[in-house]
């Protein structure tokens, strides 16, 4: 395993300093049922309706491991190049109302997946994965009254145990990340891997992926780590970047003013854009880990692991390669960025299929990563056939670029085909003779401009296109107008 | 006047009910009447579930009337230790912390008993959360020994043991974490079995120490105990530690005798026991020899460390198992100014002193910096004990020892000295650490004319041999029986 690359100048956020970041990502597994009981694993139900004696930890109840959760955990391990091995469960003991048993069943000494790595797609940096272990989720607390939705100062708290016992895999990276951007790139690549492996739906907004960031700072060139703080409650890529940058800045300012960073757990306040102390190392829980006596060791056989390997679909790296092969050459830059985006959003299958139907790869990639990406929630409204038809219409100038974008947006909204949408918007391509008539009309109305254009003032083509657009009420194709103008000038 | 079915064994009652010589309802009514009359003195039951008992007895009678098979326990009254959850009926663990809690589900063993035609009479007293050896740690008052009301019945399953000894029911269930079935069985002069760990499902048994807890039967005869064990044993998909191996037929070979069996008396567990207890073991050994067994003394050196290892492992697991009683979701809640205060007040008020002592011991043993020295080391001792037994079982089929070092002591005699109380489990604890089966069989009377128990130990899944030897001990035991308090 290669050592992480030395930090680059581009990562320097405050001259002379660098960040050291390690991430703990909690991923909810998309199993049908919970980790230790038969309750449904789903989001958005009435509070306390998906519960039973086991996930409520009622006296006398016992856990039984869900085999499909183990399989999805193994998929994650294999996708992150981990060693998958025999593992055991431990109890992590601490009191909190949303933990039904006041201990969490987790893996401590021997995790199911250890020592893997993940390659960042843009910088090609290797980030070491220390472990990816199985654990149960807690319930969800809502603190009512007081400030900031936190327990301190709240009037009362409500607890929903529907989430209690939902299977999680916690993926722990080594402290190999050196900037907030790298952290973002890591999480979005990890998210793409988790979705592609079939383990997770990757929905950060629903809490399927939750990130804790361990952040410290050190002077550039220093080999030693600074004192770290762990930031909790990072539920979007935007929060992740903002919180890390705020926290690193805070630490540098502390050190510069002669103070010391205190090791502590901090809470990210999204509204105020600040991190605030939750508890210091001295107040840290003693979790009193010990082996969970109600469960037996997990010993996945080599045959089973091999079977699982066979069930994992194409992972993002392979997907990017497949997309790159659609192009003559891909160098770093916009196409690569678009490929990474397309794979990250799971739009690569759409692009590849459209190209197979004859669409232009560049156009397909551009429309997918812009218009489709901006309305990804309606992706199911878009068939490959409709998408590739639209791309062909644009490519053959039956629609202008602007029109194609509008049509695509409507297609995503309504699920209709491109011809139908174009027709309803009045975007049927103008007949060449009508277009020429419109161009002639504009030329005769603007003789001075035409003279200057004829003398070689090319920038005036914009003026003429605009006029033709106006006359045609936006139905004209700019490219076609340009070529008519050029032919008339000659 | 003694009613007709009171005092009969489980097999006899089931036979009478199946052959329509008596109805299950009559059997239940007779037993319930005795309980109503005599239990206020004994305090073996925490809850008598009359209506449900009569209803399930009627269901058995209906099956008999229709010619359907009512099951091997047809109409047999059964008492349940009150740490087994019963849907809709309070389950207290003899603690204030579970005040008002009615479980929404039923333990696997209880379902099995009901399915086999057993009729549950109620829930019996215990040391709070099964922590104790005298049933004095119950928050609902102590149970008394049915032969001498000034003495303890043993514990923690003292209520179940006393109820069976007092003829309130021919069968009862207990749980055994360090001797909590065998020791009260010995002190009450009845049979008590702790099966191999994993043979009986723990689903619905409120945990004390999960890696040691095992449910088992009480009966007044070895055969009845075997009958009940046969009913409750077997794999349960709801318990990950439940064994997948099938359960052997425990009854067909039970009278097979001990001819040729090799039996070892554990030297370390004879040292220091009460004189009459020691001689009873010697007599039982002689009787087994006379029946054809080869009996010798054997050293199992590691059993000496059992008690020390146990009092780290069991409290450690208990400290975690009992964390959930925090006043948030069910049971007692003593509201405080904030969450922490609510936790503290609820637990301070809800738990008795012995439970608190063990939670503190266990919390300490698992603390960072102490884990290796205490919990870690205790686990190594546990492995040593397993190895030590294994060596003995290379030469012997079963082992023999006293069940308890003394006969039943007086109420209050050890209550102020937890360590001397802990010592009353010195003979039974090593088996739990090993996960092996063991049982207690009554063998005459000892000091203060109180019953003595002989313990028979076997390797994992050695129940068939264990029961055969127990049956032989029973056959050879003195016929003397002391009168019950109500006789």
């Amino acid at each position: 395993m290669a050592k992480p690359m030395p930090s680059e100048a581009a990562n320097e956020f405050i001259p002379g300093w660098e960040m050291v970041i390690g991430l703990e990502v909690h991923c909810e597994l998309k199993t049908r049922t919970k980790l230790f009981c038969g309750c449904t694993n789903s989001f958005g139900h009435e509070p306390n309706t998906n519960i039973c004696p086991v996930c409520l930890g009622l006296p006398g109840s016992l856990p039984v491991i869900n085999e499909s959760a183990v399989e999805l955990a193994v998929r994650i391990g294999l996708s992150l190049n981990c060693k998958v091995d025999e593992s055991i469960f431990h109890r992590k003991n601490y009191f909190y109302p949303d933990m039904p048993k006041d201990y969490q069943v987790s893996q401590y000494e021997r995790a199911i997946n250890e020592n893997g790595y993940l390659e960042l797609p843009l910088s090609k940096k290797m980030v070491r994965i220390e472990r990816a272990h199985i654990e149960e989720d807690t319930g969800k607390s809502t603190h009512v009254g007081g400030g900031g939705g936190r327990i301190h100062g709240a009037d009362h708290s409500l607890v929903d145990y529907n989430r209690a016992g939902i299977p999680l895999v916690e993926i722990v990276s080594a402290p190999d990340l050196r900037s907030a951007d790298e952290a973002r790139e890591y999480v979005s690549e990890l998210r793409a891997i988790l979705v592609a492996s079939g383990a997770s739906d990757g929905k950060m907004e629903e809490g399927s992926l939750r990130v804790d960031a361990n952040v410290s700072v050190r002077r550039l060139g220093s080999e030693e780590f600074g004192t770290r703080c762990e930031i909790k409650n990072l539920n979007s890529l935007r929060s992740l970047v903002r919180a890390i940058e705020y926290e690193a800045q805070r630490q540098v300012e502390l050190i510069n003013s002669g103070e010391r960073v205190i090791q502590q757990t901090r809470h990210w306040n999204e509204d105020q854009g600040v991190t605030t102390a939750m508890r210091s190392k001295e107040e840290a829980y003693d979790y009193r880990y010990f082996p969970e006596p109600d469960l037996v060791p997990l010993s996945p056989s080599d045959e089973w692991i091999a079977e699982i390997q066979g069930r994992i679909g194409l992972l993002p790296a392979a997907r990017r390669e497949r997309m790159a092969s659609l192009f003559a050459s891909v160098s770093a830059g916009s196409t690569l960025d678009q490929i990474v985006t397309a794979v990250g959003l799971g739009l690569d299958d759409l692009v590849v299929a459209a190209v197979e139907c004859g669409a232009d790869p560049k156009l397909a990639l551009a429309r997918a990563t812009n218009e489709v990406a901006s309305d990804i929630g309606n992706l199911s409204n878009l068939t490959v056939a409709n998408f590739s038809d639209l791309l062909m219409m644009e490519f053959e100038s039956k629609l202008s670029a602007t029109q194609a974008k509008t049509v695509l947006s409507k297609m995503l909204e309504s699920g209709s085909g491109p011809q139908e949408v174009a027709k309803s918007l009045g975007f049927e391509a103008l007949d060449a003779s009508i277009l020429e008539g419109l161009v002639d009309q504009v030329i005769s109305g603007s003789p001075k401009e035409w003279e200057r254009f004829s003398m070689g003032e090319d920038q005036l083509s914009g003026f003429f296109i605009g006029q033709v657009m106006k006359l045609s009420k936006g139905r004209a194709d700019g490219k076609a107008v340009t070529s008519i103008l050029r032919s008339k000038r000659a | 006047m003694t009613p007709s079915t009171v005092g009969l064994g489980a097999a006899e009652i089931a036979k009478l009910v199946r052959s329509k010589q008596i109805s299950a309802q009559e059997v239940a009514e007779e037993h319930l009447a005795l309980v109503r009359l005599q239990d206020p003195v004994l305090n073996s039951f925490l809850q008598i579930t009359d209506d449900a008992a009569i209803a399930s007895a009627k269901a058995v009678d209906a099956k008999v009337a229709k010619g359907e098979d009512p099951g091997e326990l047809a109409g047999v009254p059964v008492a349940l230790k009150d740490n087994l959850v019963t849907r809709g009926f309070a389950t207290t663990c003899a603690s204030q912390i579970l005040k008002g809690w009615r479980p929404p589900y039923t333990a696997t063993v209880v379902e099995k008993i009901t399915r086999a035609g057993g009729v549950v009479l109620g829930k019996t007293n215990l040391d709070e959360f099964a922590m104790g050896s005298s049933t004095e740690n119950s928050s609902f008052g102590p149970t008394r020994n049915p032969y001498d009301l000034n003495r303890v019945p043993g514990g923690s399953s003292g209520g179940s043991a006393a109820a069976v000894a007092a003829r309130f029911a021919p069968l009862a269930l207990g749980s055994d974490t360090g001797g909590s079935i065998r020791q009260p069985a010995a002190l009450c002069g009845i049979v008590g079995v702790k099966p191999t760990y994993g043979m009986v499902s723990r689903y619905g048994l409120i945990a004390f120490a999960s890696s040691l807890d095992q449910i088992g039967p009480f009966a007044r005869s070895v055969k009845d105990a075997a009958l009940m064990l046969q009913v409750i044993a077997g794999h349960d998909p709801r318990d990950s530690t439940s064994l997948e191996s099938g359960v052997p037929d425990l009854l067909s070979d039970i009278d097979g005798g001990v001819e040729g069996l090799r039996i070892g008396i554990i030297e370390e567990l004879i040292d220091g026991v009460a004189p009459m207890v020691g001689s009873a073991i010697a007599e039982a050994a002689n009787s087994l020899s006379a029946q054809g067994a080869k009996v010798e003394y054997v050293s199992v050196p590691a059993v000496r460390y059992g008690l020390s290892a146990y009092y780290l492992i069991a409290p450690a697991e208990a400290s975690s198992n009992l964390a959930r009683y925090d006043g948030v979701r069910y049971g007692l809640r003593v509201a405080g100014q904030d969450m922490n205060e609510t936790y503290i007040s609820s637990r301070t008020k809800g738990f008795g002193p012995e439970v608190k002592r063990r939670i503190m011991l266990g919390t300490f043993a698992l603390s960072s910096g102490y884990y290796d020295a205490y919990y870690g080391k205790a686990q190594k001792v546990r492995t040593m004990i397993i190895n030590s037994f294994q060596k003995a079982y290379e030469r012997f089929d079963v082992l023999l020892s006293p069940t308890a070092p003394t006969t039943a002591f007086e109420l209050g005699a050890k209550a102020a000295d937890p360590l001397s109380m802990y010592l009353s489990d010195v003979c039974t604890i090593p088996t739990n650490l090993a996960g092996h089966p063991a049982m207690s069989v009554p063998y005459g009377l000892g000091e203060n004319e109180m019953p003595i128990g002989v313990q028979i130990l076997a390797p994992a899944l050695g129940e068939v041999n264990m029961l055969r030897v127990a049956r032989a001990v029973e056959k050879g035991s003195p016929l003397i029986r002391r009168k019950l308090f109500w006789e």
Side-chain angles (χ1 to χ4, degrees):
Chain A
M1 183 56 238
K3 279 202 136 188
M5 301 198 313
S7 42
E8 291 161 34
N11 287 343
E12 236 179 89
F13 76 109
I14 293 177
W17 292 85
E18 77 171 351
M19 304 180 193
V20 176
I21 303 159
L23 297 180
E24 293 168 15
V25 177
H26 291 84
C27 164
E28 279 183 357
L29 302 179
K30 57 173 197 192
T31 51
R32 198 174 52 76
T33 56
K34 291 186 180 181
L35 185 54
F36 296 125
C37 63
C39 289
T40 312
N41 171 9
S42 59
F43 177 82
H45 285 239
E46 278 287 298
N48 297 313
T49 52
N50 284 330
I51 49 171
C52 75
V54 175
C55 58
L56 276 184
L58 291 186
S61 66
L62 294 171
V64 177
I65 188 82
N66 176 347
E67 189 181 304
S68 64
V70 179
E71 156 152 7
L72 295 187
V74 170
R75 286 193 194 200
I76 291 174
L78 294 173
S79 305
L80 293 172
N81 312 292
C82 291
K83 170 136 180 57
V84 180
D85 212 339
E86 181 177 290
S87 60
I88 56 172
F89 288 96
H90 271 66
R91 289 187 187 175
K92 180 180 184 179
N93 295 285
Y94 64 100
F95 283 87
Y96 204 76
D98 62 21
M99 269 215 313
K101 303 180 291 289
D102 286 307
Y103 60 78
Q104 181 190 28
V105 178
S106 180
Q107 296 196 304
Y108 179 59
E109 272 173 16
R110 285 149 62 198
I112 186 163
N113 307 302
E114 290 180 350
N115 298 321
Y117 62 89
L118 176 155
E119 190 189 59
L120 297 184
L122 293 171
S123 61
K124 302 288 173 200
K125 175 175 180 163
M126 293 289 196
V127 180
R128 291 169 296 167
I129 305 291
E130 290 181 348
R131 53 194 277 142
H133 65 258
I134 305 174
E135 62 185 28
E136 58 178 338
D137 208 343
T138 62
K140 202 169 165 26
S141 301
T142 308
H143 305 297
V144 182
R150 296 180 59 189
I151 191 162
H152 299 290
D155 294 332
H156 62 274
S157 301
L158 300 168
V159 193
D160 175 10
Y161 293 105
N162 283 351
R163 203 179 69 180
I166 282 180
L168 295 178
V169 164
E170 180 178 343
I171 300 138
V172 182
S173 85
D176 288 349
L177 299 162
R178 295 290 175 268
S179 70
D181 281 341
E182 273 188 6
R184 175 174 47 196
E185 193 183 350
Y186 169 84
V187 173
S188 65
E189 176 67 359
L190 179 59
R191 186 186 161 282
I193 291 172
L194 294 171
V195 172
S197 69
S200 165
D201 62 18
K203 289 179 183 162
M204 284 189 93
E205 66 283 7
E206 287 183 6
S208 303
L209 276 192
R210 304 195 292 272
V211 184
D212 298 337
N214 285 290
V215 178
S216 64
V217 295
R218 65 181 174 191
R219 289 188 194 280
L220 257 187
S222 166
E223 291 287 309
E224 276 170 45
F225 291 136
T227 304
R228 69 169 192 273
C229 289
E230 183 181 2
I231 317 169
K232 299 256 179 206
N233 188 38
L234 304 174
N235 297 328
S236 69
L237 291 177
R238 191 176 121 85
S239 308
L240 175 75
V241 170
R242 286 176 71 207
I244 289 174
E245 284 178 346
Y246 172 87
E247 178 59 21
Q249 187 83 35
R250 186 188 73 87
Q251 293 182 12
V252 170
E253 280 168 16
L254 266 182
I255 297 168
N256 280 341
S257 65
E259 289 179 62
R260 282 177 31 238
V261 176
I262 303 162
Q263 185 175 333
Q264 56 190 190
T265 305
R266 298 181 69 84
H267 175 88
W268 169 245
N269 185 318
E270 182 74 43
D271 299 334
Q272 293 168 32
V274 297
T275 64
T276 50
M278 283 171 76
R279 54 179 181 266
S280 71
K281 192 184 173 188
E282 287 70 35
E283 300 166 288
Y285 298 118
D286 179 353
Y287 291 122
R288 295 177 288 118
Y289 283 102
F290 76 104
E292 162 61 291
D294 288 330
L295 289 167
V296 292
L298 284 183
S299 326
S301 69
D302 292 346
E303 295 75 39
W304 194 49
I305 294 172
E307 266 175 50
I308 293 170
Q309 178 81 67
R311 288 200 279 268
I312 299 175
L314 269 188
L315 292 177
R319 288 174 176 273
R320 285 191 293 269
E321 268 179 44
R322 184 179 61 150
M323 289 201 79
S325 72
L326 303 175
F327 299 90
S329 74
V330 177
S331 50
S334 63
T335 307
L336 179 60
D337 286 352
Q338 284 179 339
I339 288 176
V340 171
T341 305
V343 170
L345 295 174
L347 294 170
D348 53 316
D349 282 341
L350 176 72
V351 173
V352 171
V355 172
E356 276 168 7
C357 291
D360 175 61
K362 234 182 159 108
L363 202 52
L365 187 56
R367 289 291 160 268
T369 52
N370 292 305
E371 287 69 36
V372 180
S374 67
D375 190 15
I376 198 152
N378 279 326
L379 186 60
S380 57
N381 281 339
L382 188 64
T383 64
V384 170
N386 282 343
F387 185 54
S388 55
D389 283 354
L390 171 88
L391 296 170
M392 294 300 279
M393 287 166 75
E394 182 181 354
F395 192 70
E396 290 167 1
S397 299
K398 288 180 182 157
L399 290 174
S400 70
T402 316
Q403 288 173 335
K405 289 176 189 175
T406 311
V407 170
L408 184 49
S409 305
K410 295 276 176 207
M411 286 165 66
L412 282 159
E413 264 172 42
S414 65
S416 310
Q419 287 87 358
E420 195 187 325
V421 174
K423 198 171 171 188
S424 72
L425 292 170
F427 283 175
E428 286 158 295
L430 292 171
D431 189 85
S433 62
I434 293 175
L435 195 58
E436 198 170 342
L438 290 175
V439 173
D440 288 340
Q441 213 178 313
V442 171
I443 291 174
S444 58
S446 313
K448 281 184 187 160
E449 284 80 3
W450 177 247
E451 200 181 322
R452 280 162 61 199
F453 180 70
S454 303
M455 298 297 287
E457 265 189 70
D458 271 358
Q459 60 269 38
L460 276 165
S461 69
F463 165 79
F464 286 105
I465 293 169
Q467 294 294 312
V468 175
M469 282 290 177
K470 215 167 157 187
L471 267 179
S472 71
K473 298 195 172 76
R475 291 160 68 200
D477 175 15
K479 270 194 249 167
V481 175
T482 310
S483 70
I484 294 171
L485 287 168
R486 294 235 167 93
S487 68
K488 290 203 176 285
R489 179 167 69 174
Chain B
M1 200 192 93
T2 309
S4 63
T5 58
V6 165
L8 295 184
E12 292 168 278
I13 290 176
K15 202 172 155 193
L16 290 173
V17 169
R18 292 172 108 159
S19 60
K20 301 188 190 175
Q21 293 180 56
I22 191 159
S23 73
Q25 186 174 350
E26 284 172 86
V27 176
E29 279 167 355
E30 285 173 2
H31 282 84
L32 284 168
L34 180 65
V35 173
R36 284 273 175 232
L37 189 65
Q38 303 296 353
D39 199 49
V41 179
L42 199 63
N43 197 29
S44 68
F45 279 90
L46 294 178
Q47 183 184 188
I48 302 160
T49 53
D50 326 45
D51 292 350
I54 298 301
S56 57
K58 281 180 174 169
V60 170
D61 289 331
K63 278 192 174 177
V64 174
K66 277 192 273 179
E68 289 171 19
D69 181 7
E72 343 27 348
L73 297 182
V76 178
V78 178
L80 302 176
K81 188 178 184 178
D82 202 22
N83 59 355
L84 295 165
V85 302
T86 43
R87 186 187 172 112
F89 293 100
T91 300
T92 66
C93 284
S95 180
Q96 293 302 312
I97 199 105
L98 277 167
K99 203 174 186 138
W101 183 58
R102 278 168 199 270
Y105 74 111
T106 296
T108 299
V109 284
V110 180
E111 285 179 347
K112 285 189 165 190
I113 282 172
T114 311
R115 222 177 298 135
V119 173
V120 173
L121 298 186
K123 311 292 291 288
T124 60
N125 203 4
L126 63 151
D127 286 298
E128 186 178 1
F129 281 98
M131 296 176 185
S133 311
S134 68
T135 318
E136 290 167 293
N137 295 335
S138 166
S139 79
F140 302 106
T143 297
R144 291 162 188 273
N145 192 300
Y147 300 105
D148 179 347
L149 296 173
N150 291 319
R151 293 180 185 273
V152 302
S156 64
S157 314
S160 283
V164 170
R167 283 25 182 191
F168 294 167
L171 295 177
L173 281 184
S175 65
D176 189 315
T177 307
S180 282
I181 292 174
R182 290 160 288 160
Q183 186 259 16
L187 270 50
C188 289
I190 59 169
V191 178
V193 183
K194 186 210 89 81
T196 302
Y197 185 79
M199 179 176 259
V200 178
S201 166
R202 292 185 294 118
Y203 190 77
L205 166 65
I206 298 185
F208 159 17
S210 314
S211 75
L212 302 161
D213 296 342
Q214 188 64 192
I215 297 167
F218 286 102
R220 290 189 298 268
S221 71
V222 173
K223 280 188 180 177
D224 275 0
L227 172 69
M228 192 184 210
L229 179 55
Q230 192 84 60
V231 167
I232 61 173
H235 178 67
D236 181 1
R238 292 180 292 189
D239 175 358
S240 311
T241 62
S242 139
L243 298 170
E244 307 223 14
S245 55
V247 182
D249 184 335
L250 300 172
L251 278 158
S252 61
D253 241 8
I254 202 161
D255 275 314
V258 290
E259 181 81 49
L261 281 181
R262 301 162 304 165
I263 299 170
I265 303 170
I266 303 174
E267 284 172 357
E268 286 78 3
L269 299 184
I270 295 290
D271 284 350
V273 301
M276 293 178 79
V277 172
S279 26
I281 303 307
E283 279 172 41
N286 284 339
S287 154
L288 289 168
S289 294
Q291 294 179 62
K294 208 175 136 232
V295 187
E296 282 173 45
Y297 282 89
V298 58
S299 172
V300 187
V303 301
R304 277 190 296 234
Y305 309 114
L307 201 71
S308 321
Y310 176 86
Y311 275 99
L312 290 166
I313 292 168
E317 292 182 11
S319 71
S320 172
N321 283 332
L322 272 63
R324 69 193 69 188
Y325 309 108
D326 58 9
V328 173
R329 289 159 297 270
Y330 45 79
L332 185 74
R333 177 191 181 93
V334 181
Q337 285 300 307
D338 59 18
M339 187 184 75
N340 263 325
E341 219 183 283
T342 302
Y343 284 158
I344 292 166
S345 325
S346 302
R347 291 167 69 81
T348 300
K349 185 118 189 280
F351 288 135
E354 183 60 29
V355 172
K356 285 178 187 155
R357 184 177 297 124
R358 298 206 195 185
I359 289 173
M360 286 189 277
L361 275 172
T363 304
F364 183 72
L366 290 174
S367 300
S368 83
Y370 296 99
Y371 181 93
D372 291 337
Y374 294 116
Y375 188 80
K377 203 166 201 173
Q379 289 293 9
K380 284 181 189 145
V381 171
R382 191 171 187 174
T383 306
M384 254 176 67
I385 289 170
I386 293 169
N387 294 339
S388 203
F389 270 124
Q390 198 172 351
K391 228 174 136 199
Y393 286 125
E394 283 166 11
R395 291 174 50 217
F396 296 96
D397 298 302
V398 301
L399 301 175
L400 214 63
S401 83
T403 305
T406 66
T407 58
F409 43 92
E410 289 187 340
L411 267 94
K414 299 187 180 186
D417 182 1
L419 272 183
S420 78
M421 186 75 88
Y422 293 175
L423 279 169
S424 58
D425 289 332
V426 69
C427 302
T428 47
I429 276 173
T431 329
N432 296 82
L433 290 168
H436 295 165
M439 65 187 288
S440 183
V441 180
Y443 201 90
L445 301 179
E447 280 79 5
N448 306 305
E449 304 217 340
M450 294 302 285
I452 293 171
V454 172
Q455 183 176 221
I456 299 137
L457 306 86
L461 297 171
E463 273 84 356
V464 169
N465 275 342
M466 178 181 79
L467 287 162
R468 264 169 70 177
V469 174
R471 177 74 186 114
V473 170
E474 185 180 51
K475 277 182 188 163
S477 69
L479 290 170
I480 183 163
R481 185 174 84 77
R482 193 171 157 176
K483 274 191 171 173
L484 293 164
F485 73 101
W486 56 263
E487 280 177 320

